[in-house]
Amino acid sequence: MEKPKLTTGANVLDIGSGLGGVTKTIAEEASANVRGIDLAQEFCDAAKTISDWKR
């Protein structure tokens, strides 16, 4: 898959983000502002917990 061409500070919406792995990678590698959404509340809760570990 080709890497998206994002500028620093770009806004990205990751639909179906699951645990947030791709969301985190995009945010870090592209210095983008990324929001992840998922229909499963359990995934959203887990992604938030995982994100808090890294801070």
Side-chain angles (χ1 to χ4, degrees), residues 2-13:
E2 186 175 328
K3 185 176 181 178
K5 294 171 179 66
L6 300 172
T7 59
T8 299
N11 294 307
V12 177
L13 177 61

Side-chain angles (χ1 to χ4, degrees), residues 6-38:
L6 300 172
T7 59
T8 299
N11 294 307
V12 177
L13 177 61
D14 182 4
I15 299 171
S17 59
L19 297 177
V22 172
T23 303
K24 182 178 180 305
T25 300
I26 292 170
E28 289 177 352
E29 291 190 10
S31 298
N33 301 309
V34 185
R35 294 280 180 188
I37 61 173
D38 200 283

